[in-house]
Amino acid sequence: MKRNSFRAAWDVFHAHFRPPPTIALGIAADSHFHFNPFGGLRDEELERVLVPHPQWSQLLDLVRTGQPLLIELCGAKGRGKTSHLKRLYQLFPQAELQCLHAGFDPSFLRAPLPPLLLIDSIHHLSLTQRLQLYQKSHTLILTTHRSRPWEYHLAGKTSHYFRFRSSDPRRLQSLLENRLRLARKSAEVPIALPTAAIEQLIHHFGDDYRGT
């Protein structure tokens, strides 16, 4: 997270944080947190922080069927699509995860595909590459900023859709409190963000979880 984003989030937290009188939090809060609670996460920390999508159980049930299908995780940036994809990768040992980016190596498209393929940022593939991937894959889960139902129809693929929408105050509160709980040095450091703090964060960052 950019420094100014961290400071804005921390300022809101600090303004509403009510620790014992002996605690005086600074921007780094070195005496109370092991690391920046609003920074990046290691893979092994994801389970403790992730606030699952409301239809998470349904998504898992679909994957467990082992049937040939395509699952689309759709939403604007910062809504949690990639975090959910990485959590799926942790839960299913047979899965392969490809996080695409500009200039990625497309050699995996020519190799035999695993039974469960996870693709982050499908838009980095051309239309031809996407259609070939849809047809070649068994179970494919992908993230995208815009839904692509007509592509799946052209490829003859059974598809399911999970939308990642704007911030829900309760989900955002759970997410931030999970992060603070993970980073704190002692369970005695109180973790409770009031509604006013969450509303202020949403006002500052809009509905972008990543920005928050």
Side-chain angles (χ1 to χ4, degrees):
M1 177 179 290
K2 294 180 181 179
R3 175 69 177 180
N4 59 345
S5 296
F6 168 56
R7 174 173 281 279
W10 185 264
D11 286 347
V12 172
F13 169 64
H14 189 200
H16 293 272
F17 190 76
R18 294 293 179 266
T22 54
I23 296 180
L25 293 180
I27 185 65
D30 291 336
S31 62
H32 306 290
F33 295 93
H34 291 291
F35 52 85
N36 173 5
F38 303 112
L41 294 172
R42 295 192 295 268
D43 289 343
E44 60 269 23
E45 296 168 340
L46 182 59
E47 180 183 6
R48 296 174 59 187
V49 171
L50 185 70
V51 178
H53 186 281
Q55 296 175 295
W56 180 241
S57 295
Q58 180 183 339
L59 195 162
L60 294 178
D61 289 342
L62 282 171
V63 178
R64 290 180 180 126
T65 66
Q67 298 298 313
L69 52 82
L70 185 150
I71 298 175
E72 178 190 87
L73 310 184
C74 180
K77 68 171 185 173
R79 294 339 187 253
K81 303 183 302 298
T82 299
S83 295
H84 281 73
L85 200 68
K86 289 182 176 180
R87 182 60 183 145
L88 288 168
Y89 180 60
Q90 294 174 344
L91 292 173
F92 294 94
Q94 74 274 28
E96 176 182 313
L97 173 62
Q98 292 286 344
C99 296
L100 306 186
H101 53 82
F104 76 97
D105 180 3
S107 60
F108 80 93
L109 295 170
R110 298 187 292 272
L113 297 180
L116 175 56
L117 179 62
L118 314 177
I119 299 288
D120 189 33
S121 299
I122 194 73
H123 64 274
H124 286 292
L125 297 178
S126 68
L127 175 59
T128 299
Q129 289 174 322
R130 293 197 300 270
L131 292 176
Q132 290 175 344
L133 181 63
Y134 303 154
Q135 294 170 335
K136 185 179 177 182
S137 62
H138 182 74
T139 300
L140 174 65
I141 307 177
L142 60 88
T143 69
T144 178
H145 293 159
R146 61 181 181 85
S147 191
R148 304 170 186 273
W150 68 272
E151 294 184 9
Y152 314 144
H153 178 73
L154 283 177
K157 203 74 174 180
T158 300
S159 52
H160 301 267
Y161 304 87
F162 293 85
R163 299 290 183 264
F164 287 73
R165 304 185 189 278
S166 58
S167 298
D168 173 271
R170 287 177 296 180
R171 286 172 53 79
L172 180 58
Q173 180 174 5
S174 295
L175 176 63
L176 293 177
E177 289 181 352
N178 285 349
R179 280 179 166 270
L180 291 164
R181 194 171 290 110
L182 176 69
R184 67 183 175 180
K185 291 181 177 179
S186 169
E188 296 180 359
V189 176
I191 300 299
L193 288 174
T195 302
I198 301 303
E199 291 175 349
Q200 189 174 346
L201 286 171
I202 292 176
H203 176 76
H204 185 89
F205 292 104
D207 58 1
D208 182 350
Y209 280 113
R210 186 185 303 164
T212 304

